[in-house]
Amino acid sequence: MNKYRVTGNGVKFGRLLFVVGCAVLLPGVTFASSLVAGGGYSVVSDEDTPGRAAEYREHESSPTFDLQALVGPDKKHLSLDAAYNSENDYLVESSLDVMTVLHVNLRLEKLFHHLDHIPYQPGTTDSRNFAVTYNSPFIAGDDVVTRADYADQSPADEYSLDAQTFQLDMRYKLPDIPAHINLGYWRYQKQGTRQLRFMDEDCATACHLQSRTRKLDRVTNEFTASADGHLGFFDLIVSYLYRDFKDQEDTPRDTFSAIDGRRLAGSAEHSEDPDSKMQEATLAVHTSLSGGVVANLSYTLGKRENQSLLKTVSPVEAEVDYYKAAGDFAFTPSDTVSMILRLRQLDLNYDNNDAITSSLIPAVAPVSENLDLKEKIIELISTWRLSRNLQLKALLKRGETQRDNIDTTFAAGWQPPAEEVRSTFKVGGYYKSRNDRRLSVNTTYTFEKNTTPAYATSSYDSHELSISTSFQPALSWGVNASARAGVDLANYAESLLIPSGVYAFERNRERQQQNVNFGIWTVPAQRVSLNFNYGFSRTDITQDLLFGNDADPQSGLTTSLTAVESGHTFMDRDVEFLQQIHMLSADLGVQFSDSVRLRLAGRYIRATAEYSPDFDYQVEMDYLATAEGLADIGRIDLVQSGAEVGIDWRVMERLRCGAEISYVDYYDKNMSTFDGSVTRSMVNIAYVW
C-alpha cells in the first residue's frame, strides 16, 4: 500500500511581531536585530510498515518552519532558535541575558517514536501462534500439541510515543555580593500507546499469551534550587532537588486463571509502573581553581519512595535512604606532571513491607528484604607530558561493594556475594607530530579484575585494547581510523532445588568484542568534497546453557552433553551467539558556483546475528528436549539503506532556497512484518534580515 501526502506552509514569522515582543521584555533598549526565517513544502510517501525505516519520523502531513533570531546589544539581548516539522516534532530554544545579572534559558522539544506491534493474532503474517509436534512416551503415537496459544485483542492498532520536554533555568547574580541563585524546572512527558504482552494462564496444558493496547501518559517533574558563593579561598554550593514520577493512566487489569493453589482465578492488576518521588540535598565546597593544588568535596543526603496504588495487591511499600560522599584532589607539581585522586562512597539502606496480601493469593505471602548496599571507589590518575607532542597517562582504580540482608535461609538459587572487589589498571599514550601536526595516535590498554562477580554477565577478567589515529599527508585529503578489541571471562554458579535435592551448576561465559572504524576525506577537484566512512562491529559470546529444572530425577543418566543430575536438567556447553554489523556511508558535495551547491549522501547498514544451541536429549521425559528450530528463531539478518539528494541556491543576497529528496528502506530477510520504506521530498525558502 502506498500513501502520498502533500504539506505546505505559509509566509514565515513576522519580524515586527518578534521585535515588539522583545521590547516588552527589554524596555528602553535600542535594538540591533538579526533574523533568519524560512520554510517550504513537504511531500511524503511510505510503503508497507515504515516504522523501522524512519523510526523517529512522523509520517503525517504538517507545515515546517525555521527561525533564528537575535535582538539587543551584547549586554542585554534575547536569542531565539526554533524548528518545526510537525505537531509532534519541534524544537524551541531561547536565551535571555540582562547585563550578566539575570540569565534565563528556555527549551521546549517534542519527538516522535514509532513502536513495533509484534503479531499475536492467529492467521496473520509471521504470527506467534503455532503448534509443536513431538513424540511423548506417555501418549501413544505422534500427537500435535499446542504448547503456546496466542491471542491479540487489538490486532490492527499501530503503536507510537510522543516525548515532550520542557526546561526552564534561571541564574541570578546578587548585587555587590559574589554569589548566585539558581532555579530550574524540568518536565518530561511520554504519551501514546504500546503493545502489552502477558501470560494469563499456567502452562499445565498450554501457555496462553495475550496482547492488547496499553495507553501511556507518564509525567516526570523535577525542581532544582541552589546557591553558590565565593568566600575567599573557598567556593560554597548548596543545592536541593525534588523529582516525582506519575502514571496518569490506570494500571492494566485482566482476568487470570488459577495456578496450582499458588494463585486463585480472578481479575487482577498487573504490569504497574508505580508512582515515585525522590528528594536530595547537597553541600559542596571547592578551593580556588588556580594554583598547584585543587580540592573538591561534596556530601549528599537523599530519599526515594515508591508510591504504588495497587488495589488487588497490598501493601506494596518500598523506600531507600541514601548518602553520597565525593572528594577530588588535583595536584600539579610541575609543567610535565599532574595527578588526580578521586574518592567516592555510596550507602543505600532499603526498607520494604514484610508481607503482601491479594485477592488472588490463598495466604499471606512473605517478602524478603532488599539488599543494603555500600560502595567505595578510590581512583588515581597520573599524566606525564614527556614533550610537546608525547603524553602518557595511567589510571589505578579500586572498587569495593558490600551487601547486607542476604537471604541465607533458602538453600538454593542465586545469592550475590557479601563482598565484591574490583580492580582496574589503565595505561595509554597520545602522540601528535610536532612539525606539520598532520599525524596523531592515541592508544589505551585496560585490565579489570573482579574477585567475586555477582551476576552472570559480570566478568572476573577483562582486557581491552584501543587505538585511534588520524593522518593528513596533504591539504587535499586525509584519513582517520580507530580499532578496539576486548575479551571478558565470567564464571557463574547456580543452584536448583528439586525433590531429590539441591544441584549446583557452574557455567562459564566468554565475550569477545571488536570494533573498527575507517574514514577518508578528499577534495579531488576545486569545489568538490568527498567523505567515505566504514564501521564494523563484532560480538562473539560463548557460554554454557542450563536447560530445564523439572522435578523427575533420574540420577546417573548421561548423554553426550554432560552428566545429568536430574532427568529434566542438563547443560549444553559452549553455546555461541555471534553478532556482526557493517555500516557504510558516503557524502559528496559539489559547489557549482558561489550561489549553488549540490549534496549527495548514501547509507547502508547490514546487521546479522546467530544463536547456535545444539542439543538433542533423548531420555524419556514429558516432552522431547531438542534445539531444533532455536537457531532459526534467533537468527537476525537486517538491511537498512538510504540515500539523499539536496541542492542549496542563494537566489539573492538575502534570499535562499533549497530542495531535498531522501529515501530510507528497511528489510528483514527472515521476517517481513516490519519491512517498509519512506520517501520524503521538501522544498524550502529562507530570508535573512
Side-chain angles (χ1 to χ4, degrees):
M1 178 179 67
N2 287 300
K3 295 177 287 184
Y4 294 90
R5 308 183 182 94
V6 180
T7 68
N9 66 355
V11 181
K12 291 319 224 168
F13 306 93
R15 176 188 176 192
L16 178 61
L17 179 62
F18 177 76
V19 173
V20 171
C22 295
V24 174
L25 293 175
L26 302 175
V29 175
T30 301
F31 292 98
S33 62
S34 64
L35 178 65
V36 180
Y41 291 91
S42 175
V43 178
V44 178
S45 66
D46 53 47
E47 187 175 357
D48 298 327
T49 306
R52 290 195 181 182
E55 187 175 358
Y56 299 100
R57 277 279 196 175
E58 190 177 24
H59 309 146
E60 298 295 334
S61 301
S62 64
T64 60
F65 300 94
D66 293 286
L67 174 69
Q68 298 86 40
L70 176 64
V71 178
D74 292 340
K75 294 185 178 181
K76 201 173 185 182
H77 67 266
L78 172 68
S79 65
L80 177 65
D81 193 344
Y84 178 89
N85 295 318
S86 72
E87 63 179 1
N88 292 315
D89 185 359
Y90 55 80
L91 172 65
V92 178
E93 291 182 305
S94 181
S95 176
L96 172 65
D97 196 345
V98 182
M99 306 297 290
T100 69
V101 174
L102 175 65
H103 194 83
V104 180
N105 288 324
L106 171 68
R107 179 184 177 90
L108 181 62
E109 183 179 21
K110 195 171 186 179
L111 297 174
F112 184 84
H113 185 194
H114 291 279
L115 300 178
D116 289 339
H117 187 158
I118 296 176
Y120 264 40
Q121 187 71 4
T124 59
T125 304
D126 296 316
S127 173
R128 290 297 196 269
N129 197 67
F130 61 92
V132 178
T133 303
Y134 66 95
N135 187 337
S136 170
F138 306 106
I139 304 177
D142 294 336
D143 298 276
V144 177
V145 179
T146 301
R147 301 298 301 178
D149 181 31
Y150 292 77
D152 197 333
Q153 300 179 26
S154 315
D157 286 1
E158 296 182 357
Y159 300 131
S160 63
L161 282 178
D162 302 330
Q164 184 172 1
T165 302
F166 176 83
Q167 185 172 355
L168 179 64
D169 297 304
M170 184 189 77
R171 182 177 177 86
Y172 177 69
K173 182 182 181 302
L174 297 177
D176 303 323
I177 300 177
H180 300 87
I181 295 177
N182 306 284
L183 298 175
Y185 172 67
W186 177 76
R187 175 184 172 90
Y188 180 64
Q189 183 173 15
K190 291 195 298 184
Q191 292 178 303
T193 56
R194 72 170 179 86
Q195 186 178 19
L196 176 63
R197 304 188 300 271
F198 61 97
M199 185 173 68
D200 64 359
E201 295 181 14
D202 64 356
C203 296
T205 55
C207 301
H208 184 205
L209 294 100
Q210 284 207 44
S211 169
R212 70 178 180 89
T213 297
R214 179 175 184 178
K215 292 184 178 180
L216 297 180
D217 189 0
R218 302 172 180 177
V219 178
T220 301
N221 290 288
E222 180 180 285
F223 302 87
T224 57
S226 66
D228 61 84
H230 181 65
L231 307 175
F233 186 71
F234 298 96
D235 290 336
L236 184 66
I237 303 100
V238 180
S239 61
Y240 173 78
L241 179 147
Y242 174 85
R243 181 188 301 148
D244 67 57
F245 166 81
K246 292 186 181 299
D247 189 347
Q248 301 186 143
E249 290 288 342
D250 294 334
T251 300
R253 178 187 286 267
D254 289 280
T255 301
F256 294 83
S257 64
I259 297 182
D260 286 339
R262 293 171 290 173
R263 185 182 74 194
L264 304 177
S267 176
E269 300 160 302
H270 64 102
S271 303
E272 183 197 27
D273 293 298
D275 295 351
S276 62
K277 67 178 181 179
M278 183 187 76
Q279 302 179 71
E280 68 174 34
T282 301
L283 175 63
V285 60
H286 65 78
T287 63
S288 173
L289 300 181
S290 62
V293 179
V294 178
N296 298 274
L297 300 172
S298 69
Y299 185 83
T300 299
L301 283 175
K303 183 176 185 178
R304 299 200 306 258
E305 297 178 77
N306 180 3
Q307 298 175 311
S308 174
L309 301 176
L310 291 177
K311 299 179 178 62
T312 53
V313 178
S314 64
V316 180
E317 301 172 354
E319 65 179 42
V320 55
D321 296 300
Y322 64 90
Y323 76 81
K324 298 182 290 185
D328 292 339
F329 304 91
F331 178 50
T332 308
S334 68
D335 294 339
T336 59
V337 178
S338 62
M339 290 178 285
I340 299 176
L341 176 64
R342 293 174 177 168
L343 305 174
R344 300 289 187 270
Q345 182 162 334
L346 172 66
D347 195 322
L348 300 174
N349 294 294
Y350 289 90
D351 187 22
N352 57 269
N353 47 291
D354 298 327
I356 59 173
T357 60
S358 171
S359 57
L360 300 188
I361 300 178
V364 175
V367 177
S368 62
E369 288 189 79
N370 270 306
L371 299 178
D372 289 341
L373 186 70
K374 292 182 180 180
E375 183 88 19
K376 297 179 181 179
I377 297 175
I378 180 170
E379 183 176 304
L380 178 62
I381 303 172
S382 184
T383 303
W384 297 273
R385 288 169 288 276
L386 302 181
S387 65
R388 294 179 58 185
N389 59 322
L390 180 61
Q391 177 178 293
L392 300 180
K393 194 172 186 178
L395 176 146
L396 292 174
K397 182 178 178 181
R398 177 183 172 88
E400 297 182 6
T401 301
Q402 294 181 345
R403 301 178 178 89
D404 296 326
N405 296 335
I406 298 177
D407 187 3
T408 59
T409 60
F410 183 53
W414 170 74
Q415 292 180 350
E419 185 173 356
E420 185 177 350
V421 179
R422 302 173 304 280
S423 302
T424 303
F425 170 72
K426 184 176 182 179
V427 61
Y430 175 75
Y431 170 81
K432 190 171 185 178
S433 59
R434 184 174 181 179
N435 295 329
D436 53 15
R437 296 179 177 270
R438 293 178 181 176
L439 173 66
S440 65
V441 180
N442 194 352
T443 183
T444 303
Y445 168 73
T446 305
F447 171 71
E448 295 184 1
K449 179 75 174 179
N450 193 331
T451 58
T452 50
Y455 304 97
T457 56
S458 301
S459 60
Y460 61 80
D461 269 352
S462 175
H463 303 264
E464 181 179 282
L465 177 64
S466 66
I467 184 171
S468 62
T469 182
S470 63
F471 180 53
Q472 183 185 345
L475 295 176
S476 60
W477 70 281
V479 297
N480 57 78
S482 64
R484 185 179 65 182
V487 57
D488 299 335
L489 302 176
N491 181 276
Y492 183 61
E494 183 174 356
S495 300
L496 294 178
L497 178 63
I498 60 177
S500 60
V502 178
Y503 295 95
F505 297 86
E506 186 173 286
R507 291 189 283 169
N508 293 313
R509 183 178 188 270
E510 179 179 342
R511 181 178 70 97
Q512 298 184 26
Q513 188 166 14
Q514 300 88 33
N515 295 279
V516 176
N517 294 279
F518 174 79
I520 182 171
W521 63 268
T522 179
V523 183
Q526 189 176 10
R527 296 190 174 186
V528 178
S529 62
L530 176 64
N531 293 281
F532 173 81
N533 291 279
Y534 169 73
F536 172 72
S537 176
R538 180 180 183 272
T539 302
D540 189 351
I541 300 175
T542 303
Q543 66 181 29
D544 299 334
L545 170 66
L546 183 64
F547 184 89
N549 63 349
D550 212 341
D552 184 14
Q554 301 179 31
S555 300
L557 297 176
T558 60
T559 70
S560 60
L561 300 170
T562 183
V564 179
E565 289 82 359
S566 165
H568 294 186
T569 305
F570 60 90
M571 190 87 73
D572 187 2
R573 300 286 184 183
D574 298 332
V575 179
E576 184 180 24
F577 171 80
L578 177 62
Q579 175 182 277
Q580 299 184 94
I581 301 174
H582 299 266
M583 296 170 287
L584 287 168
S585 68
D587 299 89
L588 173 66
V590 181
Q591 189 80 40
F592 290 107
S593 66
D594 292 340
S595 59
V596 179
R597 178 177 174 79
L598 176 68
R599 297 174 285 108
L600 300 174
R603 304 287 186 271
Y604 178 84
I605 301 175
R606 174 76 181 275
T608 61
E610 294 183 358
Y611 177 57
S612 57
D614 183 19
F615 57 85
D616 190 2
Y617 193 47
Q618 301 292 346
V619 176
E620 290 187 350
M621 299 192 299
D622 294 344
Y623 54 87
L624 176 65
T626 176
E628 182 180 358
L630 292 182
D632 294 333
I633 294 174
R635 184 172 291 112
I636 296 174
D637 195 345
L638 309 175
V639 175
Q640 186 163 347
S641 55
E644 181 180 310
V645 180
I647 187 169
D648 300 315
W649 179 28
R650 191 174 65 186
V651 183
M652 298 186 307
E653 182 66 26
R654 295 179 179 272
L655 181 62
R656 304 169 185 173
C657 65
E660 180 182 296
I661 300 176
S662 64
Y663 172 81
V664 182
D665 179 79
Y666 179 90
Y667 173 53
D668 188 338
K669 293 189 175 183
N670 297 322
M671 183 175 69
S672 61
T673 300
F674 304 112
D675 290 356
S677 62
V678 175
T679 303
R680 181 180 298 270
S681 305
M682 180 177 293
V683 177
N684 59 75
I685 185 171
Y687 191 82
V688 181
W689 282 270

